[in-house]
Amino acid sequence: MKELMLGNKAVARGLYEAGCGVISSYPGTPSTEITEEAAKYPEIYCEWAPNEKVALEVAHGAALGGVRSACCMKHVGLNVAADPLFTISYQGVESGLVICVADDPGMFSSQNEQDSRHYAISAKVPMLEPSDSQEALTFAKEAFRLSEEYHTPILLRMCTRISHSQSIVEKGARQEVPKREYVKDPLRVMMTTNSMKAHHRVEERTAAMTELAETTFLNRMEMGEDTSIGIITSSTSYQYVREVFGDKACVLKLGLSWPMPVQKIQDFAAQVDKVLVVEELEPIIENHCRQIGVEVSGKDVLPMIDELTQGVVARCLGRPEKETVTLEDEIPGRPPVMCAGCPHRGVFYTLSKNKCMVYGDIGCYTLGVMPPLNAMDLNVCMGASCSGLHGFNLAGGAAHEKNSVAVIGDSTFIHSGITGITDIAYNRTNSTVLILDNSITGMTGHQQNPTTGKNLRGEPAGKVDLEALCKAVGFRRVRVVNPNHLKEMDQVLKEELAAEEPSVIITRSPCVMLKEVLKAAPLKVDHDKCNGCGLCMRIGCPALSLRDGKAEIDKTQCIGCQVCMQMCHRDALTV
């Protein structure tokens, strides 16, 4: 049966058809939908783990227990999972273990561009790269087969364009894989001679898979009439090459992107006049070609920054561009902004008003950097705000402690903020941490997390008590405040900054985009009282604007949070 399918959905289907029994993941764009779609199959146990390291360890444990397993994450999540990844590579597996990682060229929803192929090479873990939805399904199934044949975890690398594009796939039946019996093996304990022997096995495995790379269907030559140039490519770049060069071009498509073939590339190069490598981000294929004596061009003509498009490929290579349709009218800019009624808005308004140095983190609240709030100084990675603030205050002492805060969301806090606040409590800087509890994992599309009391499928689950947790690691001062109450928010912030000990402020108000959150009636403007002072505009709510010198409320966006009402000195905003 054929179906138009999102790339991530196709991966989920491939995991299902391969007989996968356990999936543990942490949501991260552009990987999130793989696990969400897999959860629709009752045959697969699916969960959101607290972070990617835990997810990989859970998946590995399930594979150790005899069940085909997988975990999914975005590229920066693989950094978090790198610690177990390298050792699991040494240990090997019996039941299949597939690690789905989605890179984000162009940084549409990420703080950096990162090429996960480096991890495949460094951890010596084979990597597969599909270039459309059908391959996403097929490669996911093949990944399990290769994992078990070569006793290795397999990386399945997606990217934003493949994850979030649709193409036709042909669905098959699920393969029911018998559970393997666990067999105790002391060689799995990675220490001294065991680790050295394991490294030898990994090198032997890599050599065997390099031989496989010469013959596998994952790597294929497509020889056209035009032999003046041969193009080596992979992933979404293959699609751009075909759009730009057409069917007459000679193409070597690498679906097994590590380890790469040697003879196959040399044979391909011998059949064409010159070789071009088209790949996104790092020159991984290009460098490999040069190492095996094949002269190529690549990053000398193509960019190493941002995602490729067929237009970019055509322009860089002097090929004719396809016609496009554009509007004559100038389209106004649309910068990212927090939603109307977002509970984070009151937090950042208060921080901005108090001129705080704000060490930010990863989530919706990163938008606190945008004008007119301008309330975030920096962010690094998940959980860095807590430990980073501790270091900032160590450097500046009282001068920093009375004017700086860390801001972190509830899901991010569980992911990797707990260790940071433990450091604060243990080593006693007078640091103030704000946990923005909006009852959901917001930025990636409303996934549950350990603070919500629900699991991935929305069923009742264990729930972390944030107040009790913070007190358990050593905080005596833990305050809970509604961020929509500006006076209370301001008072609590001032008190905790003045305190001579570490403190946590939990700002608790649910995300307004949750279906179960009741919306109040839109506010109204009394134009007779409004003098157009613009005070209400300082919170940057998209439901507010100025028209003809007076405040205007967009009734289609306003949810009646009343934050703007608290700022108006003339009572011009009313319910």
Side-chain angles (χ1 to χ4, degrees):
M1 185 182 213
K2 293 185 178 181
E3 181 180 330
L4 185 65
M5 199 174 281
L6 201 70
N8 280 347
K9 183 177 180 180
V11 172
R13 180 70 192 188
L15 299 177
Y16 165 76
E17 290 185 12
C20 181
V22 173
I23 299 177
S24 181
S25 306
Y26 185 82
T29 306
S31 72
T32 308
E33 298 87 358
I34 299 174
T35 308
E36 290 178 328
E37 290 294 335
K40 295 176 182 178
Y41 298 109
E43 296 92 339
I44 308 177
Y45 168 83
C46 295
E47 68 172 28
W48 291 130
N51 64 31
E52 296 86 357
K53 177 179 183 291
V54 173
L56 177 52
E57 291 161 351
V58 169
H60 174 240
L64 191 67
V67 175
R68 284 188 169 183
S69 305
C71 63
C72 310
M73 62 200 70
K74 66 184 296 180
H75 61 293
V76 286
L78 191 55
N79 298 332
V80 182
D83 197 0
L85 173 67
F86 279 69
T87 301
I88 293 169
S89 174
Y90 269 34
Q91 287 177 328
V93 297
E94 298 300 321
S95 294
L97 176 60
V98 176
I99 303 157
C100 306
V101 57
D103 285 6
D104 190 19
M107 296 175 285
F108 293 98
S109 188
S110 307
Q111 67 269 38
N112 66 36
E113 280 187 310
Q114 180 178 307
D115 195 323
S116 295
R117 292 179 294 174
H118 285 298
Y119 272 114
I121 296 168
S122 186
K124 301 183 186 295
V125 173
M127 175 176 276
L128 277 56
E129 286 192 79
S131 62
D132 59 27
S133 296
Q134 180 61 65
E135 285 191 350
L137 189 158
T138 303
F139 285 21
K141 294 168 69 174
E142 180 68 3
F144 276 117
R145 191 191 70 78
L146 293 175
S147 176
E148 292 175 352
E149 181 177 346
Y150 291 90
H151 306 288
T152 177
I154 300 284
L155 283 161
L156 180 69
R157 181 185 183 234
M158 302 288 283
C159 66
T160 302
R161 207 52 56 194
I162 302 301
S163 290
H164 290 163
S165 295
Q166 298 186 75
S167 59
I168 298 292
V169 304
E170 186 161 356
K171 297 190 294 186
R174 176 174 169 85
Q175 175 189 0
E176 294 300 341
V177 182
K179 181 179 176 181
R180 293 173 184 255
E181 182 179 352
Y182 172 70
V183 179
K184 187 178 181 68
D185 183 1
L187 292 178
R188 288 197 182 99
V189 179
M190 290 294 101
M191 55 181 287
T192 59
T193 57
N194 282 357
S195 299
M196 188 61 69
K197 291 175 181 177
H199 193 181
H200 282 285
R201 290 197 300 271
V202 168
E203 296 303 334
E204 291 168 1
R205 181 182 75 203
T206 300
M209 292 212 69
T210 301
E211 291 184 17
L212 171 73
E214 305 288 354
T215 58
T216 177
F217 75 93
L218 298 166
N219 300 328
R220 65 175 186 263
M221 283 190 203
E222 299 174 352
M223 302 305 293
E225 301 172 9
D226 183 5
T227 58
S228 62
I229 187 170
I231 304 164
I232 306 177
T233 187
S234 65
S235 186
T236 189
S237 300
Y238 168 78
Q239 303 293 352
Y240 305 142
V241 165
R242 279 302 178 203
E243 288 185 55
V244 172
F245 288 89
D247 295 334
K248 294 182 179 180
C250 295
V251 176
L252 172 56
K253 179 186 178 298
L254 299 179
L256 177 61
S257 57
W258 197 87
M260 283 181 271
V262 175
Q263 191 63 50
K264 196 179 194 77
I265 292 175
Q266 293 170 339
D267 290 346
F268 177 73
Q271 299 178 62
V272 296
D273 297 336
K274 59 181 179 179
V275 180
L276 168 70
V277 174
V278 180
E279 58 187 324
E280 282 184 330
L281 302 181
E282 300 290 314
I284 305 291
I285 301 173
E286 182 178 340
N287 289 342
H288 173 73
C289 289
R290 291 203 171 99
Q291 287 171 358
I292 62 173
V294 176
E295 282 301 314
V296 299
S297 60
K299 294 304 176 184
D300 53 332
V301 290
L302 291 163
M304 201 181 317
I305 299 170
D306 204 353
E307 70 168 354
L308 297 179
T309 65
Q310 65 95 359
V312 169
V313 172
R315 284 192 295 275
C316 290
L317 300 177
R319 307 284 295 190
E321 293 187 56
K322 293 187 177 181
E323 292 185 10
T324 58
V325 177
T326 57
L327 294 174
E328 294 181 2
D329 297 334
E330 185 177 349
I331 301 174
R334 189 183 177 190
V337 64
M338 287 183 282
C339 304
C342 175
H344 301 330
R345 186 168 279 107
V347 174
F348 286 109
Y349 172 75
T350 304
L351 293 172
S352 180
K353 189 175 74 168
N354 283 275
K355 297 181 171 57
C356 290
M357 181 277 187
V358 180
Y359 202 128
D361 224 293
I362 309 302
C364 294
Y365 44 90
T366 308
L367 295 171
V369 70
M370 301 299 292
L373 295 169
N374 303 306
M376 187 176 287
D377 288 61
L378 79 161
N379 68 337
V380 178
C381 63
M382 301 278 277
S385 59
C386 302
S387 39
L389 176 69
H390 175 63
F392 182 76
N393 288 340
L394 284 174
H400 285 180
E401 291 173 347
K402 303 304 179 186
N403 194 44
S404 61
V405 301
V407 170
I408 187 168
D410 51 339
S411 180
T412 307
F413 175 73
I414 294 295
H415 178 284
S416 47
I418 299 172
T419 47
I421 68 160
T422 302
D423 193 26
I424 291 171
Y426 177 55
N427 290 301
R428 310 300 290 175
T429 52
N430 295 336
S431 299
T432 301
V433 176
L434 276 66
I435 303 174
L436 279 52
D437 182 6
N438 67 348
S439 306
I440 204 69
T441 308
M443 182 64 91
T444 49
H446 286 180
Q447 289 76 34
Q448 304 297 333
N449 67 65
T451 73
T452 66
K454 296 179 181 178
N455 65 17
L456 189 155
R457 290 188 167 103
E459 301 158 342
K463 182 176 182 178
V464 172
D465 185 328
L466 290 176
E467 295 95 305
L469 189 155
C470 293
K471 290 177 181 177
V473 301
F475 284 82
R476 294 189 300 174
R477 299 183 67 91
V478 180
R479 308 281 295 274
V480 180
V481 61
N482 185 335
N484 290 325
H485 299 164
L486 295 184
K487 287 184 179 179
E488 181 186 6
M489 182 73 226
D490 186 64
Q491 178 184 344
V492 169
L493 177 66
K494 284 181 166 65
E495 290 174 357
E496 297 313 313
L497 285 173
E500 294 298 327
E501 62 178 297
S503 59
V504 171
I505 302 171
I506 301 171
T507 66
R508 181 163 289 146
S509 184
C511 173
V512 296
M513 300 303 290
L514 291 171
K515 293 179 180 179
E516 61 267 26
V517 173
L518 297 176
K519 314 298 190 291
L523 300 185
K524 302 172 184 176
V525 180
D526 187 334
H527 289 100
D528 293 331
K529 292 183 178 180
C530 178
N531 65 352
C533 68
L535 277 176
C536 59
M537 300 299 295
R538 294 183 182 180
I539 57 172
C541 179
L544 277 169
S545 61
L546 288 174
R547 181 177 296 179
D548 300 326
K550 302 283 186 177
E552 189 78 16
I553 290 178
D554 183 349
K555 295 181 179 179
T556 64
Q557 294 193 67
C558 178
I559 60 99
C561 70
Q562 302 185 14
V563 170
C564 58
M565 280 180 60
Q566 300 167 58
M567 303 177 65
C568 183
H569 297 163
R570 300 173 64 88
D571 297 325
L573 300 171
T574 62
V575 293

